[in-house]
Amino acid sequence: MTDVDPNLGRRLSNRYDLVSLLGYGSMGRVYEARDMLLGGVPVAVKFLSQTLLNNRMRQRFEREAMTCALLGQRSIHIVRVTDYGVNEDEIPYYVMECLKGQNLSEIASRQSLTIPRFLSLIRQICLGLQCAHQGILIEQEVCPIIHRDIKPSNILIVQDESLGELAKILDFGIAKLLQEDAGATNCFMGTLPYSSPEQMEGRELDPRSDIYSLGIMMFQLLSGKMPLHVDTHTFGGWYKAHHHQMPRSFQSVNADLKIPKVLESLIMSCLEKSPGDRPQSVVEILKALEPLEQRFGTGRQIGQRIGEALSKVQVTPHQPTDRISGSTKGVCALATWPKTMPIADIVFPNLIKTDEGHQATLWVMLPHDEIQKRASCTRYNQFLFLEAPHPMMLWLTVLYSTLAGPKWMPSYLDLKSPQGQQIARVLCNTGEYKILLFSQENPNRCASMLTSTIADPQRRLMQVWISTSQLSNTTSHASLSKNILKAELEKLKPKVLMKLESIYNTVDQDLSG
């Protein structure tokens, strides 16, 4: 008969009902719980594996937990911590977002990763590490955060309906916390096969230690084998391996494995014994991955991701008139086509200032007859995001009517530029935008104005995209990202059109009936 877990069924801190055990390891146990203060929202609660024996340790834990919480707000690739505390037995815990997925250890145990999938996940992990290594401002001091336990089981892979596979790093700062608490007993905290030589020595660590662990993990994910081998799984055995054993080559562990030489060299450089011989920052790794992603990664995967996003069409059927505030209406009435823009069938985004604040607008020029045909139309919008090779958002609007068919109005926002970020923020905050229609025959005044609303899930995603873009160091290849989005949109237009026609016909029947 198995022992009953005493935590199951209890309420923690008069708030979290512990429902089931999700997993356990050297760091502690993780439970699925319900946050009763928020109406039973699912969360994950992690109890650390040892008690807090004094106030100094309690303060250190609170600092580390707060740091994890701040990191999770800055990067979508770090699991978000929402609360922390200590139970009646002085065992520390922290509360995280509850995510459904698998860790990389479970995924890699079934089969080695393909090159495109590997590149996508490693880039995301690097973005999370980059955010941590850059540091968090705490009490007017920038505190760089070293993970100290990068390994496949600490990387959670979840499915995002727009971004596809999303990698999230677990347990930031916890290894350091436990190691300092165990310092008096000379206890090593970490995972032996993934620990850097300097970590085995108990030295003060910097980002290059995480890079070494990342190199071990990258080798394993591609080959299914570890680059180092020991006869006995002991501290002494791994100490010798990390300090003196040369890493095996990919060919030696699998002669049939085809790894690009550039990628193999990058991974081997991460496995150098001396920190000074490794890449000195995660930024260097991200730069080295860029040409590989262009060759193997983004272009082959983005079509599927965009296709799935486009299948969830946001439609505003038949709205012949718009209620707008006087201040917005006044600005639109005074709007004239910019002299810097050609008199042609084009579309561009713009911000206009009203008494109520900034308003996002889409300026469109069409022949007068076409504007007349679209006085009553179905409106569709979708926002798609491409993180690599350059953060770019496609802002797609379609006006559809049986008289004129679809009018495709794509606009592209560079989310590394201040203007692109500002427009995206306004769209996210207001949840709507105005479509200003100008006729080619009389561009001196706005001929018509429509309103298009943005679905709440899209607004939440947009906020994530803005944050992701701010953390990205990519400063090139904007045109490549734009061209990828353009090409994939062309492939998917027939699918969107079928959806619009189906919805439009249904609406017609309802209205006429």
Side-chain angles (χ1 to χ4, degrees):
M1 181 176 178
T2 58
D3 294 334
V4 177
D5 190 327
N7 283 322
L8 295 180
R10 66 182 291 199
R11 178 165 292 185
L12 181 66
S13 299
N14 200 32
R15 177 172 179 178
Y16 305 105
D17 284 353
L18 303 180
V19 177
S20 63
L21 179 65
L22 294 176
Y24 58 89
S26 60
M27 293 290 187
R29 293 184 166 226
V30 183
Y31 294 85
E32 182 178 355
R34 297 287 182 268
D35 186 346
M36 304 315 295
L37 187 63
L38 298 180
V41 172
V43 294
V45 177
K46 182 158 192 172
F47 288 94
L48 299 193
S49 58
Q50 56 198 102
T51 59
L52 298 181
L53 301 177
N54 53 53
N55 287 332
R56 182 176 63 87
M57 184 61 186
R58 184 195 294 265
Q59 291 171 358
R60 189 181 301 137
F61 168 71
E62 291 177 350
R63 179 184 175 94
E64 293 294 341
M66 182 176 66
T67 299
C68 291
L70 291 173
L71 281 176
Q73 293 174 4
R74 289 188 56 193
S75 174
I76 61 172
H77 301 301
I78 296 174
V79 171
R80 190 169 66 251
V81 173
T82 58
D83 196 8
Y84 51 87
V86 179
N87 72 3
E88 62 272 18
D89 298 319
E90 292 294 300
I91 296 177
Y93 68 87
Y94 60 95
V95 183
M96 306 172 286
E97 56 182 328
C98 190
L99 299 168
K100 302 298 183 182
Q102 292 182 302
N103 65 49
L104 264 183
S105 180
E106 296 169 326
I107 293 172
S109 66
R110 295 192 296 270
Q111 61 180 357
S112 301
L113 300 187
T114 62
I115 297 292
R117 190 181 188 190
F118 169 88
L119 292 171
S120 173
L121 295 179
I122 290 300
R123 174 182 171 78
Q124 295 179 55
I125 294 166
C126 285
L127 289 172
L129 286 174
Q130 178 191 0
C131 173
H133 293 169
Q134 287 174 340
I136 297 292
L137 186 64
I138 300 177
E139 297 175 358
Q140 305 304 313
E141 177 185 358
V142 176
C143 302
I145 310 300
I146 314 303
H147 190 283
R148 291 174 168 81
D149 199 22
I150 290 295
K151 57 183 178 181
S153 60
N154 270 338
I155 309 297
L156 187 65
I157 307 301
V158 299
Q159 290 295 326
D160 184 276
E161 64 180 16
S162 179
L163 302 177
E165 280 193 320
L166 192 61
K168 287 180 173 277
I169 308 173
L170 298 163
D171 285 347
F172 256 105
I174 301 305
K176 178 184 179 183
L177 174 77
L178 298 183
Q179 186 173 15
E180 289 181 353
D181 187 43
T185 61
N186 246 351
C187 179
F188 173 80
M189 298 303 299
T191 305
L192 292 173
Y194 300 91
S195 296
S196 67
E198 58 269 30
Q199 185 174 4
M200 303 287 289
E201 296 170 9
R203 288 158 47 187
E204 184 65 28
L205 303 182
D206 63 26
R208 296 171 296 183
S209 178
D210 281 347
I211 287 173
Y212 181 89
S213 303
L214 180 68
I216 298 279
M217 185 174 73
M218 288 194 289
F219 188 101
Q220 179 188 8
L221 293 176
L222 285 174
S223 70
K225 305 290 184 181
M226 299 297 285
L228 303 174
H229 177 265
V230 295
D231 295 326
T232 58
H233 184 66
T234 63
F235 182 88
W238 282 110
Y239 185 96
K240 290 180 181 178
H242 287 302
H243 281 83
H244 306 297
Q245 187 182 122
M246 291 299 295
R248 296 186 286 183
S249 68
F250 284 101
Q251 286 297 306
S252 68
V253 299
N254 186 347
D256 297 326
L257 193 59
K258 305 298 182 184
I259 303 294
K261 288 296 183 183
V262 175
L263 180 57
E264 184 172 2
S265 298
L266 172 65
I267 294 173
M268 290 304 172
S269 69
C270 294
L271 296 177
E272 290 288 347
K273 308 297 185 187
S274 171
D277 295 331
R278 301 171 203 151
Q280 298 300 286
S281 71
V282 175
V283 175
E284 291 185 28
I285 299 176
L286 286 168
K287 288 181 179 178
L289 291 175
E290 276 189 18
L292 289 164
E293 284 188 292
Q294 293 172 36
R295 180 181 172 190
F296 295 100
T298 305
R300 298 187 182 184
Q301 297 178 19
I302 189 64
Q304 181 180 358
R305 299 213 305 265
I306 292 179
E308 292 171 353
L310 282 174
S311 66
K312 298 168 178 142
V313 177
Q314 170 70 23
V315 174
T316 306
H318 295 301
Q319 294 183 6
T321 60
D322 290 283
R323 288 189 170 184
I324 57 174
S325 67
S327 58
T328 305
K329 185 175 181 179
V331 171
C332 294
L334 296 174
T336 59
W337 192 255
K339 293 182 179 180
T340 54
M341 293 292 178
I343 306 300
D345 190 347
I346 63 171
V347 55
F348 64 91
N350 194 17
L351 285 180
I352 59 175
K353 193 171 183 180
T354 73
D355 294 339
E356 301 166 350
H358 283 98
Q359 172 73 57
T361 59
L362 205 59
W363 293 45
V364 185
M365 178 164 279
L366 296 170
H368 178 73
D369 289 346
E370 192 166 348
I371 294 177
Q372 291 294 103
K373 292 175 183 177
R374 299 184 191 281
S376 176
C377 63
T378 297
R379 302 166 209 179
Y380 157 95
N381 65 49
Q382 183 72 46
F383 299 85
L384 308 174
F385 177 64
L386 188 60
E387 181 180 346
H390 185 93
M392 183 74 64
M393 186 174 82
L394 168 60
W395 170 5
L396 175 66
T397 304
V398 183
L399 303 181
Y400 182 83
S401 72
T402 53
L403 290 175
K407 175 59 183 177
W408 305 91
M409 301 186 298
S411 186
Y412 299 87
L413 296 182
D414 182 346
L415 292 192
K416 285 298 290 183
S417 71
Q419 181 184 16
Q421 288 190 2
Q422 186 181 13
I423 293 176
R425 285 195 186 93
V426 171
L427 288 169
C428 184
N429 293 335
T430 61
E432 68 169 33
Y433 58 96
K434 306 297 182 184
I435 305 168
L436 306 187
L437 299 172
F438 293 81
S439 71
Q440 295 177 4
E441 295 80 359
N442 183 17
N444 293 326
R445 59 182 295 274
C446 178
S448 180
M449 185 180 71
L450 307 173
T451 299
S452 189
T453 58
I454 305 169
D456 288 341
Q458 283 277 291
R459 295 170 67 184
R460 290 193 292 269
L461 275 175
M462 207 180 301
Q463 185 61 56
V464 173
W465 298 341
I466 294 169
S467 300
T468 300
S469 301
Q470 286 178 311
L471 295 172
S472 171
N473 278 338
T474 302
T475 57
S476 58
H477 306 299
S479 59
L480 180 58
S481 285
K482 185 175 180 179
N483 289 336
I484 291 172
L485 289 171
K486 280 184 177 180
E488 294 304 326
L489 179 58
E490 288 301 316
K491 296 176 188 176
L492 291 161
K493 277 184 178 180
K495 183 177 179 180
V496 174
L497 184 56
M498 288 179 61
K499 185 83 172 184
L500 285 169
E501 288 175 341
S502 173
I503 293 176
Y504 192 93
N505 291 334
T506 301
V507 171
D508 272 347
Q509 293 170 9
D510 289 343
L511 290 175
S512 61

